[in-house]
Every structure is written in structure tokens, then in C-alpha cells.
Amino acid sequence: MTPYSRMGDGRAVLRSSVREYLASEAVHGLGVPTTRALALVVSDDPVMRETVETAAIVTRMSPSFVRFGSFEHWSSRRQPEPLKTLADYVIDRYYPQCREMPGGAPRDDGVAVLNLLREVTRRTARLMADWQAVGFCHGVMNTDNMSILGLTLDYGPYGFMDGFRLGHVCNHSDTEGRYSWNRQPSVALWNLYRLGGSLHALVPDVDGLRAALDEFEPVFTRAFHERMAAKLGLAAWQVEDEPLLDDLLKLMDANQADFTLSFRRLADALAGQRSAFEDLFIDRPAAGAWLDRLLARHAQDARPVPEVAAGMNRVNPLYVLRNHLAEEAIRAAKTGDAGEIDTLLKLLRNPYEAQPGYERYAGLPPDWAGSIEVSCSS
């Protein structure tokens, strides 16, 4: 047993390793900041979980694996010297601009730490906008799973939504819905406050720490609106677009419409193929009425339809790593067949462009996909 894995054996199994290997490459293909996967190695060593499984190792790549929790570790032990050593290391190696002082003023370590918190807050806010825009749920957003560089880190019980739910929970162990899709931004801000609290030992300026954290909401909101405007094919976000987006999400939630395909097929609807979008909804008249509102909004922009549709397809993916696709790759890998992993990597590294012959990877999930459950051991 090792104390670094909740008194477990410290081993990974093939099942979870395939999911992690594919996930980081899928998220990278979507243009979302993430750690990367270099290699997946399988062993014949038996590992006991609910049943006996096969061991595996994923080699992960990242500029840094420092997390919010790395700072909490020293702060909670009331050890300011190692905490300062860690902060100086992160600033000097990854955020040297945080040392810059206006007018050539002398170095001020307190100001540098405040600048660090501000930059991490901004990066995390933009990352949350990215997650929300592609329907990605992390599953376990504790401070040890939050990257100091604003990267998607530690793929455990993650999930890309199929049928949309505002309160979708991808982690079977999350019975209270703490990490549901619509709560991810607020959880990220909570974690940033924990980081800020840890840095308080180095910076007594509470107002300065709060001012840095206050940047989260405007940065997230602006980034989210920019991404959603692009997904809807709008030239630029306007305040009046808020009800249009809200009503779409409510409509998708009420009908459990597929998240990825609902946005992807908007380009087809714009080009006259309304049924491609409306077919995803049980309440087709409501979907059609909302679509009329979007088309009227597009008329205000007065941009060429082919140009707009092409732009929408550049930001609305056709392929995402759905749970059933990952499960199929896992089942094949257990027999020694890595072909499905290779196929998924090919598609997920270029998720916006349709690949002839791979239509099933872009379709609605099969009925059995609804029975897949993922948890922290997945």
C-alpha cells in the first residue's frame, strides 16, 4: 500500500488508462488546454478492483504538474518557507511577467504573488468557458485536480454529454451533484479562493487577493459568450443574445437533446436543412420556433450563409469521446486489439472535419450507452 493513493496499491488498470489516454488527446483536439498522453503500456500484472483487472501505465506530459493543492499542502502545515519556494519557482519558471514592476520599481515579491493569482484566475476562467462550450464534465474538481497553468488535469470520471442536462453529473460517485456541468465554473472559483487563502501566508493584502479573484466572473462570462456566439454563428455577442442562448439550453435540457449534435447541426439548419436540427428534439415545434429566432438574429448580421456555416463547423465538433466509444475501445484493448484506440485518436485529433466511412462515430449513442457508469476508479 502507498499513502499517496488513499491507502490503495498505487496501480492503474487498463480500463481507466485507456480512458485517460484517449481523453487528453480528445480535449487537445478540441483546442482546450490540457496535459497530453505520450504512451500507453500494458502489463500482465493482475490488479484487484471489483474484479481482477490488467495493469497499465499512462505516460502523461505537461509543462508542469503543480496544482492548487500543492500550495495548500504547505499552507495547511503552516510552513511559509517551502510555500514561498514553491511560489517563486512557479513564478520564475512559468509566469516571469508577474515579476515586472511599473516604472522600473524594485522587485516586490508580494506584488508578484498577487499577479500570479490574477493570471491563474484568468486562465482558469477561460478553461471553464472551454469546458462548458464543448459539453465536457471533469467529474472530480478538487484542488488537487486544478492545474496552476490552467490545463485540464487528471482524467478520471470525466464525460462528454450525450443528452443534455443542465445539472448533468458524469461521476457516479457524485451523489450530491457537486461537480455537475452547470456548477463547474462556481466550483473552479471556490478552488481559486482556496488557492488565494493559501497564498495569504505570503501576502497579507486581503483586498489585493480578493481583487485578483474578482476577475474570474468577468473573464469567464466574456470568454463563454465569445465561444457560444461562435457556436451559434453570430458575428459578435450582444447583450440581447442572452435569452436566445438561455432558451436553447432550456429547450435542450427539457428534451435531453444531444449536446454535440444540437450545435453541429445548426450549420445544416442555417443552410436550409431544418430537420437535421429539429429531429434531435421530442418537441419539434418548440425547436422550430427557437430556430426561427436564431435565423432572424442571423438576418441582422447579414453575412453570407456558406461563410457562416463553415465558421460554425470549425467550432462545433462532429466527434467527441463519448462514453460508449471509449467503452468499445476498452473492450477491444482487453483482447489485445489497439485498433479502436487508433481509430479514435485519428478522429479526435481532427474532430471538426467529417471523415467518410466513420459516420457511426458521429451519430447518436446506442441505447446501451445510458447504462455506462463511471466513477473515481474508472
Side-chain angles (χ1 to χ4, degrees):
M1 293 196 303
T2 168
Y4 303 109
S5 62
R6 290 170 292 183
M7 301 307 294
D9 57 19
R11 295 177 182 271
V13 298
L14 178 62
R15 168 172 47 98
S16 59
S17 299
V18 169
R19 282 178 54 82
E20 180 171 7
Y21 181 74
L22 289 171
S24 56
E25 295 308 288
V27 170
H28 177 72
L30 292 167
V32 178
T34 178
T35 56
R36 301 291 301 278
L38 175 66
L40 172 61
V41 181
V42 181
S43 166
D44 292 332
D45 293 346
V47 179
M48 179 59 69
R49 293 294 181 261
E50 288 82 0
T51 61
V52 177
E53 300 193 47
T54 301
I57 296 175
V58 176
T59 305
R60 295 186 288 181
M61 301 288 288
S62 176
S64 174
F65 284 100
V66 174
R67 306 131 188 280
F68 292 9
S70 306
F71 291 85
E72 283 186 298
H73 174 83
W74 299 114
S75 174
S76 66
R77 286 159 176 75
R78 302 181 187 279
Q79 295 181 263
E81 286 306 315
L83 179 64
K84 184 178 186 305
T85 299
L86 177 62
D88 285 340
Y89 166 78
V90 169
I91 292 170
D92 292 337
R93 187 169 181 85
Y94 303 107
Y95 296 97
Q97 71 275 16
C98 291
R99 295 278 188 209
E100 297 175 4
M101 298 293 292
R107 169 171 166 163
D108 187 322
D109 289 346
V111 171
V113 171
L114 288 176
N115 289 340
L116 170 65
L117 180 60
R118 182 173 294 106
E119 183 59 30
V120 174
T121 296
R122 291 169 177 168
R123 289 196 186 192
T124 303
R126 290 191 289 267
L127 179 66
M128 291 304 105
D130 286 334
W131 286 6
Q132 302 302 92
V134 296
F136 175 79
C137 296
H138 184 278
V140 185
M141 288 179 62
N142 56 45
T143 52
D144 266 349
N145 288 342
M146 299 295 292
S147 162
I148 203 69
L149 299 184
L151 306 174
T152 311
L153 183 73
D154 289 358
Y155 292 92
Y158 68 85
F160 287 91
M161 279 190 284
D162 293 330
F164 177 67
R165 285 290 195 188
L166 286 164
H168 176 77
V169 178
C170 64
N171 181 358
H172 180 63
S173 307
D174 185 9
T175 55
E176 297 181 359
R178 173 175 174 79
Y179 303 123
S180 60
W181 179 82
N182 58 345
R183 290 185 177 180
Q184 289 186 141
S186 61
V187 172
L189 181 56
W190 167 267
N191 290 336
L192 285 163
Y193 264 88
R194 305 287 69 73
L195 175 61
S198 299
L199 295 175
H200 184 224
L202 303 179
V203 183
D205 183 3
V206 174
D207 290 339
L209 292 168
R210 285 177 176 162
L213 294 166
D214 284 345
E215 296 208 16
F216 180 89
E217 185 173 355
V219 171
F220 168 77
T221 301
R222 182 169 58 254
F224 181 66
H225 284 163
E226 288 174 355
R227 286 153 179 72
M228 300 312 288
K231 290 175 76 69
L232 295 175
L234 307 180
W237 180 265
Q238 299 177 8
V239 176
E240 296 78 13
D241 295 326
E242 193 78 52
L244 184 68
L245 175 60
D246 285 349
D247 289 346
L248 173 60
L249 295 178
K250 290 175 183 176
L251 181 66
M252 290 168 60
D253 178 80
N255 290 262
Q256 294 189 51
D258 189 85
F259 183 91
T260 300
L261 294 181
S262 290
F263 284 101
R264 178 71 182 196
R265 293 185 182 181
L266 283 177
D268 297 327
L270 185 63
Q273 302 175 43
R274 295 176 60 105
S275 61
F277 174 78
E278 294 172 351
D279 286 349
L280 296 169
F281 296 81
I282 299 171
D283 190 346
R284 288 175 56 91
W290 180 87
L291 188 57
D292 288 338
R293 292 169 58 191
L294 177 67
L295 296 177
R297 174 66 179 83
H298 275 274
Q300 296 178 21
D301 287 344
R303 297 158 63 208
V305 169
E307 172 188 315
V308 175
M312 294 168 75
N313 285 338
R314 285 193 294 268
V315 296
N316 289 318
L318 183 60
Y319 309 105
V320 295
L321 184 58
R322 298 176 184 269
N323 274 336
H324 77 278
L325 297 177
E327 180 63 24
E328 290 173 351
I330 290 167
R331 293 176 182 177
K334 287 181 176 179
T335 68
D337 179 4
E340 199 62 25
I341 294 176
D342 293 336
T343 295
L344 286 174
L345 285 177
K346 171 187 174 181
L347 298 175
L348 296 171
R349 284 171 172 162
N350 187 19
Y352 299 101
E353 185 175 339
Q355 300 291 329
Y358 295 93
E359 288 76 15
R360 80 173 187 87
Y361 293 89
L364 291 168
D367 291 340
W368 62 266
S371 64
I372 298 175
E373 294 180 348
V374 294
S375 64
C376 290
S377 65
S378 297

